[in-house]
Amino acid sequence: MAVSRRRFVTSVLGGSALAAASTTELLTTLASPASAASPPGDVVGKVTVGYQGWFSAPGDSAPIGGWWHWSRDRFQPPSPANTTIVSWPDMREYTRSYPTAYPNLGNGSPATLFSSYDQQTVDTHFRWMQEYGCDTAALQRFNPTGDEGPTRDAMTLKVRSAAERHNRKFYIMYDVTDWLTMQADIKTDWTTKMSTHTASSAYARQNGKPVVCIWGFGFSESSRPFTPGPCLEVINWFKAQGCYVIGGVPTWWRLGREDSRPGFLDVYHAFNAISPWMVYRTDTLEGLDSYYNNVNIGDMADCAARGIDYLPCVMPGDLAGGHRRHGDFYWRHIYNMVRLGSQGLYVSMFDEYNEGNQIAKTSETQATTPAGANIRALDEDGVACSSDYYLRITADGGRMLRGQLALTAVRPTPPTTGTPPPATGNLAAGRPTSASSQGDGFPSGNAVDANAGSYWESGGGSFPHWWQVDLGASHQVNKLVVRLPAGWGSRTQTITVQGSVDGGSFSTIAGASAFAFDPATGNTVTRTLTTTTTRYVRLSISGNTGWPAAQLAQVEVYASGGTTTDNPPSTPSGLTVTGKTSSSVSLAWTASTDDNGVTGYQVRQGGNVVATVTGTTATVSGLSASTAYTFTVVARDAAGNTSSASSAVTVTTDAAANADLARGRSTSESSHVQSYGSGNVVDGDANSYWESANNAFPQWVQVDLGSARTVGRVVLRLPPSSSWGSRTQTVAVQGSADGGSFGTLSGSAGRTFDPASGNQVTITFGAAQTRYVRITVTGNTGWPAGQLSGLEVYAS
């Protein structure tokens, strides 16, 4: 097995010297003219997850045979002494599993694992992607000429099938590690095997072009010894095939140091998009911020100056290494890359149980982890997390990337959902928080994290200020502990304690009183409260003798009698789409039941509430046109308990009025020459164009609108430059519902392109329902081939 790219670790950041070097580079790149980023497609504006799909087990029929990627010796079952994994998957949703030699789980059940070669496994993973807003999967492909090749070939078919079923996208991500014959082999592999999958409606396209990623050019490791010339030749070859090419590049690509070989800058700049590697580069929040300031800002400026899309890697952190901080590490990384203005996000990885940086469902506690095997579960730092927690964070990150969730440094996703955990210990730990304001760098979430030195501080302005925590469900609260950092000087804050079951109407639990913080007693104040059933606890602070703002380092909330006896409502069922427009989706579902009555429902997109209603219908507004959205519904009762989420529905909003229905869509053609592929007609670039084979009329180019649409007008363009002299092309417009049988929308006729009028032709015809629009060219007075730089399709 090849040395994994995941384990390569560079040196830590070089402090002020690095900052100075990065600043110089930043000023240089900012002096260059910037180009607009690509329009939204299947990677730009989207969340992509790296998908290994490389696990197999005896009996799964995989050609590789054995416990591939589960065991060091794949011919022996995985065990504590024979393993390649550091995290344990949550196995509850797999219909087929395979017994291992690990000890039984903590709850006594046998320790079993899945095989990626089972179609149900891949379907389960892609269903999770659909439910949690993972738009696109980058299917990892290593040297296919070895013994892993046949298994990887078959996995591509399984991934394609699952992506088509679950309305997800996928693309091929080549990893060149230890692939010494890469330059020739990768072209053969693409032309004879992988390119056939671009015919799938699920194959990712950007700017109308099939997406390919090449990971590993320029890395300084000996397992990737390539020189710049062959690398540049391979990139340009893929671009000549009409592909949009992403580069999985070293962290230090721009400066040519640390993990990057020098002399590769021309190679990196040849990519359409750049995705620098970040796994194992840091394990602290401070490290993420340092990379943001000293590396990512300069990277982004360099890419913007050259019209390269920036698709940075974000990571949940190594679970085995204790880096995750119950989601804070992952959210900080996502937040930094979104506030940077990144064109998209690449999550590493979806199913990387080998190195502990997976976001797929993972064992929650030692009860579902092999006993005594020293494998960390998601509650490794003492905070209970549901198995889907990192998928829910991903969903919120995608919403923030698309502007559907306000940019926030405070993680909005609670570690657990559904039935609340037992009311023992600090109920506020790791729970969602909010505040009336916050100073820069002092978010409200600091008051419920595990770091006693971090703190929330309100923003400027006069008192009062408030801070609150959502306990996740109603509890009978009777004790409050409030702390400031141990080294701070004495001060007194005047605090009122309030509670609410719905987060809207608050009542007083304890009136305003002085909380005296004294470093001699650990800067800790403990208050016994009148037992009150509440879900939301708010501290309203009207004064502080030590600083002109409210300050809280840790807030702990405890209950007397556990959770309320009120059970959560039943799960809503039958969620369906009843209507949609370009900016809204209407939903309906079957009512839930509850022992004390359902009070309302929340419609959720990912982990975020987008509508709250009392009935069983809702309309979600403010959506983007021609965009896929996934929704679930939960029920609420009077005590604030919430049901489990309903089954998800995914719907694509209608196109905006007068929008170009073809922009960025999938294309095909009868032929093309050199790099003038069909994707150029929908990429929005007036100067790139499709040109067919010469002297071989008729020729055609077509666009797949994704679904049947009512169309009545097409606009055809040639490059507007005056160097493109006037010419007349004989053109017919055809339409098809299935891509096989075409009917005529506008008959063959001469269409004159004149640079004096912008080199464009508009063709109108009777409104028709069609999915595929084909332009057939049978003559051209200016060149012996079909030529188009733009194919735009409109409803009327």
Side-chain angles (χ1 to χ4, degrees):
M1 187 170 104
V3 176
S4 170
R5 74 192 193 198
R6 322 295 177 200
R7 285 293 174 188
F8 181 65
V9 184
T10 60
S11 63
V12 297
L13 295 178
S16 58
L18 169 62
S22 296
T23 301
T24 301
E25 178 71 12
L26 175 58
L27 292 173
T28 300
T29 54
L30 286 177
S32 303
S35 301
S38 295
D42 292 336
V43 292
V44 170
K46 297 299 193 295
V47 174
T48 299
V49 294
Y51 189 65
Q52 300 285 24
W54 61 11
F55 296 103
S56 66
D60 63 3
S61 301
I64 192 68
W67 291 96
W68 191 239
H69 284 279
W70 288 123
S71 298
R72 285 199 305 271
D73 178 357
R74 75 173 190 259
F75 301 109
Q76 299 297 322
S79 67
N82 179 40
T83 188
T84 62
I85 61 171
V86 297
S87 290
W88 197 264
D90 176 2
M91 292 295 297
R92 288 175 292 184
E93 295 183 49
Y94 299 100
T95 59
R96 187 180 182 191
S97 60
Y98 299 82
T100 71
Y102 271 96
N104 285 347
L105 307 182
N107 61 16
S109 300
T112 62
L113 292 168
F114 64 80
S115 167
S116 302
Y117 204 76
D118 290 337
Q119 185 67 57
Q120 187 271 337
T121 295
V122 186
D123 284 336
T124 297
H125 289 166
F126 275 75
R127 172 172 58 81
W128 292 347
M129 293 181 201
Q130 181 184 44
E131 291 173 352
Y132 298 96
C134 304
D135 302 293
T136 303
L139 177 59
Q140 313 296 289
R141 187 164 178 82
F142 301 88
N143 183 351
T145 65
D147 62 349
E148 190 177 6
T151 301
R152 302 304 291 177
D153 293 347
M155 283 305 305
T156 307
L157 291 169
K158 296 174 188 291
V159 165
R160 173 177 174 172
S161 175
E164 291 171 348
R165 267 192 293 277
H166 294 283
N167 195 28
R168 299 297 90 186
K169 302 294 184 179
F170 79 99
Y171 64 81
I172 299 302
M173 186 175 195
Y174 285 107
D175 186 322
V176 300
T177 304
D178 288 325
W179 193 358
L180 301 185
T181 55
M182 170 275 305
Q183 188 176 6
D185 291 351
I186 198 170
K187 301 172 192 174
T188 301
D189 185 71
W190 179 255
T191 55
T192 62
K193 294 180 180 179
M194 294 298 102
S195 65
T196 61
H197 297 292
T198 64
S200 169
S201 61
Y203 196 88
R205 290 180 178 265
Q206 183 60 50
N207 304 341
K209 303 176 181 182
V211 177
V212 173
C213 181
I214 304 173
W215 195 97
F217 285 172
F219 280 82
S220 58
E221 295 167 283
S222 59
S223 57
R224 305 176 192 97
F226 313 107
T227 57
C231 297
L232 189 59
E233 190 273 336
V234 166
I235 296 169
N236 287 331
W237 182 87
F238 272 100
K239 292 169 76 173
Q241 307 310 300
C243 295
Y244 175 95
V245 189
I246 303 172
V249 302
T251 311
W252 298 90
W253 64 275
R254 181 169 46 88
L255 299 179
R257 50 180 286 191
E258 302 287 341
D259 61 343
S260 174
R261 298 177 188 271
F264 267 76
L265 200 56
D266 287 344
V267 174
Y268 303 141
H269 285 157
F271 287 113
N272 298 112
I274 282 179
S275 184
W277 191 239
M278 273 296 294
V279 174
Y280 290 112
R281 295 327 191 229
T282 183
D283 57 12
T284 66
L285 303 183
E286 296 77 13
L288 291 175
D289 290 345
S290 182
Y291 273 103
Y292 170 81
N293 289 309
N294 297 321
V295 177
N296 303 131
I297 289 176
D299 284 358
M300 182 71 181
D302 185 279
C303 288
R306 292 167 174 82
I308 299 171
D309 295 318
Y310 192 57
L311 309 174
C313 167
V314 294
M315 53 189 176
D318 176 14
L319 179 60
H323 302 164
R324 295 202 172 190
R325 294 168 176 78
H326 50 272
D328 286 345
F329 184 86
Y330 190 23
W331 188 255
R332 179 68 66 84
H333 206 182
I334 291 172
Y335 166 71
N336 280 351
M337 295 304 98
V338 172
R339 68 175 169 136
L340 180 68
S342 304
Q343 277 76 58
L345 300 177
Y346 175 76
V347 179
S348 180
M349 303 283 290
F350 185 86
D351 55 341
E352 179 62 279
Y353 294 99
N354 300 89
E355 297 183 359
N357 62 334
Q358 75 286 345
I359 62 169
K361 296 187 181 182
T362 299
S363 174
E364 299 168 341
T365 69
Q366 289 301 311
T368 51
T369 307
N374 197 32
I375 295 177
R376 294 193 185 204
L378 289 181
D379 67 347
E380 50 88 21
D381 66 352
V383 176
C385 301
S386 61
S387 66
D388 69 343
Y389 180 37
Y390 288 87
L391 290 168
R392 289 188 285 114
I393 293 177
T394 305
D396 273 350
R399 296 187 69 255
M400 190 165 68
L401 172 71
R402 292 186 287 270
Q404 298 159 354
L405 175 69
L407 182 68
T408 174
V410 180
R411 170 178 48 79
T413 311
T416 58
T417 60
T419 303
T424 57
N426 175 19
L427 301 175
R431 300 302 305 176
T433 61
S434 56
S436 56
S437 63
Q438 62 189 38
D440 186 29
F442 307 108
S444 61
N446 284 352
V448 294
D449 65 13
N451 182 2
S454 69
Y455 60 95
W456 164 71
E457 182 173 295
S458 66
S462 59
F463 287 101
H465 302 285
W466 60 262
W467 174 96
Q468 77 181 38
V469 60
D470 175 4
L471 304 180
S474 291
H475 297 269
Q476 295 177 339
V477 169
N478 76 336
K479 188 173 77 168
L480 177 71
V481 179
V482 183
R483 306 179 194 274
L484 292 180
W488 284 18
S490 297
R491 68 201 65 199
T492 297
Q493 297 189 70
T494 303
I495 300 177
T496 300
V497 184
Q498 298 174 302
S500 171
V501 296
D502 61 6
S505 176
F506 282 82
S507 59
T508 298
I509 299 175
S513 63
F515 281 55
F517 297 90
D518 186 342
T521 56
N523 269 337
T524 299
V525 176
T526 300
R527 291 290 168 88
T528 299
L529 307 173
T530 300
T531 300
T532 304
T533 299
T534 188
R535 171 173 175 169
Y536 298 85
V537 175
R538 175 179 288 186
L539 305 187
S540 180
I541 303 170
S542 57
N544 183 348
T545 63
W547 195 257
Q551 297 170 312
L552 300 171
Q554 286 187 315
V555 178
E556 301 172 8
V557 179
Y558 297 88
S560 58
T563 56
T564 61
T565 57
D566 184 37
N567 294 316
S570 64
T571 304
S573 60
L575 179 61
T576 57
V577 177
T578 58
K580 59 175 180 159
T581 68
S582 61
S583 62
S584 67
V585 170
S586 296
L587 304 166
W589 57 90
T590 302
S592 299
T593 59
D594 184 74
D595 48 6
N596 288 313
V598 174
T599 59
Y601 299 87
Q602 294 176 339
V603 179
R604 297 181 176 181
Q605 187 197 353
N608 196 65
V609 177
V610 293
T612 300
V613 296
T614 56
T616 56
T617 62
T619 297
V620 182
S621 302
L623 306 178
S624 300
S626 301
T627 302
Y629 292 93
T630 299
F631 299 101
T632 58
V633 174
V634 301
R636 290 168 54 88
D637 64 16
N641 296 317
T642 57
S643 71
S644 298
S646 70
S647 297
V649 295
T650 298
V651 56
T652 300
T653 51
D654 293 337
N658 298 318
D660 175 13
L661 304 177
R663 181 69 177 273
R665 305 298 303 185
S666 175
T667 62
S668 55
E669 63 198 12
S670 55
S671 65
H672 74 269
V673 294
Q674 299 179 44
S675 60
Y676 307 121
S678 61
N680 290 342
V681 303
V682 295
D683 66 1
D685 183 350
N687 295 304
S688 69
Y689 60 95
W690 163 72
E691 181 174 303
S692 72
N694 291 189
N695 300 300
F697 290 115
Q699 296 287 338
W700 56 264
V701 62
Q702 74 183 36
V703 59
D704 176 2
L705 304 180
S707 61
R709 301 292 184 93
T710 301
V711 301
R713 175 168 58 102
V714 298
V715 176
L716 309 180
R717 300 182 186 274
L718 289 179
S721 169
S722 59
S723 63
W724 281 70
S726 180
R727 68 199 64 201
T728 298
Q729 298 192 71
T730 305
V731 168
V733 184
Q734 297 173 296
S736 172
D738 59 7
S741 175
F742 282 82
T744 298
L745 300 177
S746 181
S748 181
R751 320 286 182 174
T752 299
F753 296 82
D754 187 344
S757 55
N759 260 345
Q760 71 178 50
V761 170
T762 299
I763 304 172
T764 58
F765 43 84
Q769 279 277 315
T770 188
R771 172 173 173 170
Y772 299 86
V773 176
R774 175 179 289 185
I775 305 300
T776 299
V777 184
T778 54
N780 185 344
T781 62
W783 194 258
Q787 297 172 310
L788 287 178
S789 69
L791 166 55
E792 300 170 9
V793 181
Y794 297 91
S796 62

